[in-house]
Amino acid sequence: MEERKPEKYRLNLMKFIGEHRRMMLLSMLVMLITTGLGLVTPWLMQYLVDKALPHRNVNLLVLCVGGIAIIPILNMLISALENVYKNDVQTRITVKLRFQLLDKLLKLSPTTLSKYQQGDITGRLVRTCDDISGFVSKLLNGFNNVISFLFIGVVMLSMNAKLSAIVLFFAPVMVYFYYRRIKFWRTTYKDISVAQKEYDVFITEVVPGLKTVQMFQQEKYEIEHGQELNRKYRDLQNQLQKQRSFQGRLFWELQDSLSTSLVYATGIYFIFHHQMSIGQLLAFTVYVPRFYGAINSLFVLYMDRDQLKPEI
């Protein structure tokens, strides 16, 4: 049975995406538009520095500055409208998941149902269903990161292959690092899942039993037990944040700074030898953090998948 769980997990997620094809197609269209607009801004910076300013071309200057100012506003408005629609769909997915789970629970025999703790069932109905629907929406953002990764990679290669080689050199290093760290983070994910279930069981079962607790004067014990469960869950969450922030984020910032510094140094060398313009270098350096950011976001999505998986 253990070998079949990953397959079932993937099929269920793809099923929910397939049932909301309209949202998926709309999100993909919006992502293509916003990604394309985001790629235009550095090109406008290049034209501004290399052509508009040296030649005192006022019309081109106004066009470049206006484009740099307007494009982020357009991206924000388009993304805001998309998020409103996605939140509505996410809510409908959550409700559908809850009623599907409730329908299955109602079909179970009393003997089978008695094997489950009430708190665990409540946690799955309330928290896990919401987490799954949220992850389905994140999958669409993952598509955006894939598009950004491909588009930006092609643009950088077309601008300067030698500088692109420096940027691409660090990409496998990022992949290897995250691959090595994910194995350790998975253990923390499982521990968090267990702690969440224990806390759900406690909260769900202590409230109906308040009169019994008062009758046997166990108030102090129940409070201490609840605080201990909450402390255990909070410590695990802090541990995960330290792992992902200090080990993951810090590594990403270090390699991003190192690669950007090498790109600047090499680009300045090319400028001195008339192999590159200042505007091209500025535009290229804008793409570098976006390129690495897309890779990092894809790994964050993969980590969110691993964090959700123990709950299913």
Side-chain angles (χ1 to χ4, degrees), residues 219-232:
E219 296 93 335
K220 184 178 180 181
Y221 168 79
E222 293 295 339
I223 291 175
E224 291 177 351
H225 181 54
Q227 290 175 340
E228 175 63 22
L229 292 175
N230 185 55
R231 183 195 60 79
K232 178 182 177 181

Side-chain angles (χ1 to χ4, degrees), residues 92-109:
R92 284 188 274 136
I93 292 176
T94 302
V95 174
K96 186 174 182 179
L97 276 170
R98 287 172 178 166
F99 278 101
Q100 285 181 350
L101 179 57
L102 183 61
D103 181 63
K104 290 184 178 181
L105 290 172
L106 292 173
K107 293 178 181 179
L108 295 176
S109 65

Side-chain angles (χ1 to χ4, degrees), residues 255-292:
Q255 67 84 29
D256 181 56
S257 299
L258 178 60
S259 62
T260 303
S261 300
L262 290 175
V263 166
Y264 269 116
T266 308
I268 292 172
Y269 173 83
F270 289 156
I271 292 173
F272 285 165
H273 289 79
H274 305 288
Q275 299 177 15
M276 193 176 197
S277 67
I278 297 176
Q280 287 177 327
L281 178 59
L282 290 175
F284 191 92
T285 53
V286 172
Y287 289 126
V288 174
R290 295 184 184 182
F291 181 79
Y292 288 137

Side-chain angles (χ1 to χ4, degrees), residues 57-180:
N57 190 328
V58 178
N59 293 330
L60 183 59
L61 176 65
V62 172
L63 180 63
C64 292
V65 173
I68 293 172
I70 293 174
I71 287 176
I73 298 175
L74 289 176
N75 274 337
M76 181 190 67
L77 292 175
I78 294 172
S79 298
L81 293 174
E82 181 205 12
N83 287 333
V84 170
Y85 181 68
K86 283 171 63 176
N87 288 335
D88 177 64
V89 174
Q90 180 178 336
T91 302
R92 284 188 274 136
I93 292 176
T94 302
V95 174
K96 186 174 182 179
L97 276 170
R98 287 172 178 166
F99 278 101
Q100 285 181 350
L101 179 57
L102 183 61
D103 181 63
K104 290 184 178 181
L105 290 172
L106 292 173
K107 293 178 181 179
L108 295 176
S109 65
T111 303
T112 304
L113 195 59
S114 63
K115 297 179 181 179
Y116 297 93
Q117 291 179 300
Q118 184 179 357
D120 185 21
I121 294 175
T122 304
R124 290 178 182 274
L125 281 169
V126 177
R127 174 173 43 79
T128 306
C129 291
D130 187 58
D131 291 343
I132 293 174
S133 63
F135 184 77
V136 172
S137 297
K138 291 180 181 178
L139 285 176
L140 296 173
N141 294 331
F143 173 79
N144 183 32
N145 291 314
V146 172
I147 294 297
S148 298
F149 172 78
L150 295 176
F151 278 19
I152 294 174
V154 171
V155 170
M156 288 195 303
L157 285 171
S158 65
M159 293 180 67
N160 193 296
K162 294 180 180 179
L163 289 182
S164 300
I166 297 175
V167 177
L168 294 174
F169 172 79
F170 287 93
V173 178
M174 291 181 64
V175 173
Y176 178 76
F177 172 81
Y178 278 114
Y179 174 76
R180 297 288 299 178

Side-chain angles (χ1 to χ4, degrees), residues 228-240:
E228 175 63 22
L229 292 175
N230 185 55
R231 183 195 60 79
K232 178 182 177 181
Y233 173 71
R234 190 171 60 251
D235 290 345
L236 288 170
Q237 283 286 6
N238 291 335
Q239 178 183 338
L240 178 63

Side-chain angles (χ1 to χ4, degrees), residues 13-22 93 96 100:
L13 291 181
M14 294 307 298
K15 177 183 177 182
F16 282 111
I17 292 179
E19 291 177 350
H20 296 84
R21 290 185 294 273
R22 182 179 177 183
I93 292 176
K96 186 174 182 179
Q100 285 181 350

